[in-house]
Amino acid sequence: MTGKELQELEQRYGAQNYQPLDIVLVRGEGCWVYDIEGKRYLDCLSAYSALNQGHVHPKLLAALVEQAQQLSLTSRAFRNQQLPLFYEQICKLSGFEKALAMNSGAEAVETAIKLVRKWGYRVKGIAEDQAEILVCSNNFHGRTVAIVGFSTEPSYRHGFGPFAPGFRSVPYADADALIAAITPNTAAVLLEPIQGEGGIIVPPDGYLRAVAEACRATNTLLVLDEIQTGLGRTGRMFAYDHEGIRPDVLILGKALSGGMYPVSVVLADAAVMDMFRPGEHGSTFGGNPLGCAVSRAALDVLVEERLAERTAELGGAFIERLKTLESSLVKDVRGKGLLIGIELKVPARPYCERLAERGILCKETHSTVIRFAPPLVITEEQLDFAWQHLSEVLCASEK
Ligand SMILES: *Cc1c(COP(=O)(O)O)cnc(C)c1O
């Protein structure tokens, strides 16, 4: 079948909940992907940071195949050989005492919400059904009904109510507003250290530190959603490392399995995680041996290939280079590590399409922002290739 035929088939039978670029990808290797006609592209989106380790990393592939030949799923009704090793590895890497594996990012966010509510009632002494979670405007935490209910983005929410109560939104990157909103009923604050889907919004230095201090002072849990920012993306293992703080609950997903299989996890110390007792939470696929084996390899790769350190060097230099772009189209360049937003004064989609023609895959977010977030295994040469085309496309359109 041709790419065009496949595209028509998908239009005919598929729900129309996405509007992808019309490129049918069939193969990937490292930072490169190939379409059905054999054309090669540099992947500068990496599945929203799920592919930090690059496409089809040999180590991940080997782990997947080896485990798939042995055992794929036990459910948590029985134990498996991989889960304990995965839990040990992610706890040691993150410095948290306990882990809870799920599958998608949204499921892990839901898990964290349940966890902090339970803690709010049992430990903080909030009256039944009064627990509140503070969230930030412009957030993205996934697509479940509870989560879109506390989104401030109309297209995520509109027509999907009624929504779960117990969430209150405060402006992002404004520590004073957040601190003023904390009440004795506030079980937790939930936020992203950098808003990815929201347009690569980087809060001012000191923001997370101020929020963390206020949480400590008011006996409120700080929950950080690092599904997109975690695991090396911003040039540190976790984005909160830039501020020298530590959340009470950490949510990871995406690159946790290097794009090979959906795995997410919630991390916390025992005093919080022990709120869950047998039967109170679960998932048929969560913690399955296949996902755990892949994740263990994905974490090995992050550490062995020093992906966070590389990203700090390469990403920092690339952001500085982008800031020198002399284009009247560019309104702002911002980001940390290899999580970079190029905000245009005009819709970004036509420029993403032009870049795709030249073999660079980017995707717009929030209509005017080009998100530049390649796999962290990207080389300097590949970044040069991206730079060349980005600068030509963004400057050539000068009339
Ligand atoms: C992608 C993302 C999610 C949702 O993850 P899914 O696996 O798509 O459910 C949640 N939070 C953040 C910050 C994300 O970037």
Side-chain angles (χ1 to χ4, degrees):
M1 262 195 207
T2 65
K4 190 100 188 95
E5 286 166 342
L6 287 166
Q7 189 184 314
E8 280 163 10
L9 205 60
E10 185 176 322
Q11 288 298 112
R12 169 149 180 219
Y13 289 107
Q16 303 296 303
N17 59 326
Y18 276 95
Q19 194 188 11
L21 294 183
D22 292 324
I23 295 165
V24 180
L25 299 173
V26 295
R27 193 166 72 79
E29 187 182 358
C31 295
W32 298 109
V33 285
Y34 299 83
D35 75 8
I36 194 161
E37 272 103 40
K39 181 171 172 181
R40 184 175 85 155
Y41 304 83
L42 188 69
D43 181 357
C44 294
L45 180 66
S46 45
Y48 312 105
S49 300
L51 287 154
N52 289 3
Q53 298 86 342
H55 289 270
V56 198
H57 193 291
K59 216 165 167 166
L60 272 66
L61 178 63
L64 180 84
V65 170
E66 192 180 322
Q67 186 59 41
Q69 286 168 337
Q70 299 294 322
L71 184 69
S72 61
L73 182 64
T74 54
S75 84
R76 298 287 305 278
F78 311 105
R79 296 183 191 271
N80 72 66
Q81 216 172 9
Q82 292 290 345
L83 182 65
L85 299 172
F86 168 62
Y87 274 175
E88 179 187 34
Q89 190 170 352
I90 190 64
C91 284
K92 286 193 169 158
L93 182 80
S94 64
F96 287 92
E97 293 170 1
K98 297 261 178 181
L100 200 174
M102 299 296 284
N103 310 283
S104 71
E107 270 181 306
V109 172
E110 290 271 350
T111 300
I113 290 168
K114 288 171 72 174
L115 180 64
V116 299
R117 281 182 169 178
K118 197 77 148 181
W119 177 90
Y121 299 123
R122 283 231 206 113
V123 177
K124 190 163 175 173
I126 298 170
E128 193 176 329
D129 285 346
Q130 298 305 303
E132 195 170 69
I133 296 171
L134 293 182
V135 298
C136 290
S137 56
N138 199 43
N139 68 68
F140 183 82
H141 296 288
R143 300 290 198 161
T144 65
V145 173
I147 292 171
V148 299
F150 60 79
S151 167
T152 56
E153 174 63 35
S155 67
Y156 297 167
R157 327 167 24 96
H158 184 246
F160 299 125
F163 298 120
F167 301 95
R168 193 142 55 92
S169 174
V170 297
Y172 185 61
D174 180 342
D176 293 338
L178 189 149
I179 291 163
I182 296 175
T183 75
N185 284 344
T186 310
V189 169
L190 165 65
L191 56 85
E192 303 151 87
I194 293 176
Q195 289 184 332
E197 298 307 302
I200 322 295
I201 308 298
V202 185
D205 288 346
Y207 172 65
L208 280 187
R209 232 176 356 256
V211 170
E213 267 167 34
C215 284
R216 183 136 314 137
T218 56
N219 194 27
T220 302
L221 298 178
L222 175 59
V223 183
L224 291 184
D225 178 347
E226 292 235 23
I227 291 170
Q228 187 157 161
T229 54
L231 304 171
R233 174 55 58 187
T234 69
R236 301 293 296 267
M237 189 53 77
F238 306 109
Y240 64 76
D241 290 331
H242 291 285
E243 294 257 303
I245 62 139
R246 182 175 183 267
D248 300 291
V249 179
L250 174 63
I251 308 169
L252 301 175
K254 294 199 168 123
L256 184 55
S257 55
M260 194 65 87
Y261 193 94
V263 180
S264 61
V265 74
V266 176
L267 294 152
D269 283 344
V272 174
M273 193 65 90
D274 287 351
M275 293 297 114
F276 279 135
R277 305 311 312 161
E280 292 179 348
H281 191 60
S283 157
T284 303
F285 278 83
N288 71 77
L290 198 51
C292 290
V294 170
S295 273
R296 290 177 59 209
L299 294 173
D300 282 343
V301 168
L302 276 178
V303 173
E304 284 163 10
E305 300 187 17
R306 302 177 60 253
L307 293 185
E309 293 86 344
R310 291 184 84 249
T311 300
E313 289 161 26
L314 292 177
F318 198 71
I319 291 173
E320 289 315 306
R321 201 169 180 190
L322 284 173
K323 285 185 174 163
T324 68
L325 263 180
E326 283 183 17
S327 164
S328 57
L329 284 173
V330 175
K331 188 170 164 195
D332 191 25
V333 172
R334 53 184 182 251
K336 264 206 178 113
L338 284 167
L339 184 58
I340 302 171
I342 307 167
E343 184 173 356
L344 305 185
K345 294 170 187 159
V346 293
R349 175 122 183 158
Y351 297 94
C352 292
E353 285 168 0
R354 253 171 254 179
L355 285 165
E357 282 164 22
R358 289 160 165 264
I360 306 275
L361 289 188
C362 287
K363 183 71 165 60
E364 77 277 7
T365 177
H366 266 233
S367 136
T368 57
V369 182
I370 300 177
R371 170 169 24 198
F372 185 85
L376 307 184
V377 293
I378 196 164
T379 63
E380 239 167 300
E381 271 168 14
Q382 289 166 334
L383 278 170
D384 281 343
F385 175 79
W387 162 258
Q388 185 199 325
H389 290 291
L390 272 169
S391 58
E392 280 176 21
V393 162
L394 292 176
C395 298
S397 18
E398 312 276 286
K399 295 255 164 64

